[in-house]
Amino acid sequence: MTTHRFRPTRYFNAIGTAEPVLRVADGDTVVADTIDASGLDASEVMVAPRPNPMTGPFFIEGAEPGDTLAVRIDRLTPSRATGWTYSPLALTVLDPAAILERPPVQRAVWVIDRDAGTVRLKDPVRGLEDFAPPIQPMIGCFGVAPAGGQALSTATSSQNGGNMDYRLFAPGTTAWFPVSVPGALFYLGDGHACQGDGEIVGTGIETSFEMEVTFRVVKRTIIWPRGETAQDIFTIGNARPLDQALQHATTEMMRWLGEDYGLDARAASHLMGQVVRYDVGNVFNPAYTVACRIAKSWLTRQ
């Protein structure tokens, strides 16, 4: 098992079938630089310039269509001392009447204080002079090439992953993606130093990162992305409207409970009906994200 250090010289604004930048073995670790959209030279982007420039794709030896790629998020280290967000709240999360009173869009700079472990507005607005939430790094957009030769914009998400903006895609989490092309062709980027649920201002605190991930090829088939932390398992649905994303996530969890925990549909419904938790990922971009989450303390693996 090898650790590869990769420094990109070009980026992608779509996740699809492209010439891999690096081939790695099952079990290898990659340490890669990622950037946010600020200051990106359009000549460095291989598709029409849009947010979420991706590093990759990485070809994982042995990954074949029908397999699952497990990606353990080992480390997310901001590589700049600042990040940025937009305000006000997005149109998608406001009542229509409130939109009429919505102030103009502004961009704000945040200071990322790694010594203090906090983020704060560089120029605080009234009432937030002492506001300094903790740094909580996460990956906003990552995934594998979709099936059928598609190239999906990094502004959206689907069964292959993409722009999900789910806060539990953080260090210590293992994300699982369905493999649709040889080598999986894995991309990652869109690092956030901090973000609330939903990415409801259209951004997290966007900044550049050094990201470390470890790959494992699993010979099983899943339909939607899955994830595992020390405490929970979760499944991801990406769609619009929001209820369709919830349906995808719930159905994928029911499958998982049957495959790994020996629960038939009735048993799974009893368990999920009482202890399931739903988290909201992205509700700003074209596809919304819902996570269906269950604490491992309720589960006995078969």
Side-chain angles (χ1 to χ4, degrees):
M1 298 180 183
T2 303
T3 297
H4 306 265
R5 183 68 177 87
F6 180 73
R7 296 187 183 277
T9 58
R10 59 181 186 175
Y11 304 90
F12 289 83
N13 288 333
I15 297 177
T17 303
E19 185 68 24
V21 296
L22 185 68
R23 299 175 78 98
V24 303
D26 181 7
D28 282 1
T29 296
V30 169
V31 179
D33 295 327
T34 67
I35 62 171
D36 59 291
S38 66
L40 182 63
D41 186 332
S43 67
E44 298 177 300
V45 182
M46 303 308 293
V47 187
R50 296 194 62 179
N52 300 335
M54 292 288 102
T55 297
F58 300 99
F59 186 105
I60 294 84
E61 301 286 356
E64 296 293 340
D67 293 344
T68 293
L69 181 67
V71 182
R72 188 181 71 218
I73 304 170
D74 299 318
R75 179 173 58 86
L76 302 175
T77 304
S79 52
R80 284 208 321 267
T82 61
W84 58 275
T85 61
Y86 285 129
S87 68
L89 293 172
L91 302 176
T92 52
V93 301
L94 292 173
D95 285 333
I99 293 172
L100 299 175
E101 302 173 357
R102 184 173 176 262
V105 173
Q106 289 183 345
R107 178 167 159 149
V109 174
W110 295 72
V111 175
I112 301 169
D113 188 337
R114 292 174 60 182
D115 292 334
T118 60
V119 293
R120 57 182 174 81
L121 283 164
K122 182 179 179 182
D123 298 307
V125 296
R126 186 169 60 87
L128 296 183
E129 293 85 356
D130 299 321
F131 181 57
I135 297 172
Q136 295 181 314
M138 55 166 283
I139 303 179
C141 185
F142 67 145
V144 296
Q150 300 177 82
L152 299 182
S153 168
T154 58
T156 193
S157 57
S158 188
Q159 289 171 277
N160 66 307
N163 192 31
M164 298 173 286
D165 292 304
Y166 179 44
R167 293 176 62 240
L168 286 192
F169 286 134
T173 296
T174 296
W176 298 9
F177 296 100
V179 176
S180 298
V181 302
L185 296 181
F186 174 79
Y187 298 74
L188 80 170
D190 191 27
H192 299 167
C194 184
Q195 181 206 282
D197 288 338
E199 201 186 41
I200 61 174
V201 296
T203 67
I205 297 181
E206 312 282 334
T207 193
S208 299
F209 270 83
E210 181 178 89
M211 298 187 178
E212 180 176 334
V213 296
T214 298
F215 301 111
R216 183 168 55 91
V217 177
V218 183
K219 295 298 180 180
R220 68 180 299 174
T221 299
I222 64 175
I223 297 176
W224 288 91
R226 300 179 182 183
E228 183 173 2
T229 70
Q231 295 80 31
D232 302 298
I233 65 170
F234 61 86
T235 51
I236 297 290
N238 299 312
R240 195 165 182 169
L242 194 66
D243 59 350
Q244 188 176 9
L246 184 145
Q247 290 161 7
H248 292 323
T250 304
T251 305
E252 187 71 13
M253 178 61 76
M254 187 173 65
R255 292 190 193 100
W256 197 353
L257 294 177
E259 294 163 358
D260 287 11
Y261 301 95
L263 301 182
D264 65 16
R266 192 175 304 279
S269 70
H270 285 311
L271 177 75
M272 294 172 69
Q274 308 314 315
V275 301
V276 77
R277 298 292 182 264
Y278 287 106
D279 300 330
V280 176
N282 192 299
V283 290
F284 174 74
N285 291 121
Y288 294 159
T289 295
V290 171
C292 178
R293 179 170 54 88
I294 292 178
K296 290 180 178 179
S297 58
W298 298 111
L299 303 171
T300 302
R301 191 176 289 273
Q302 298 294 306

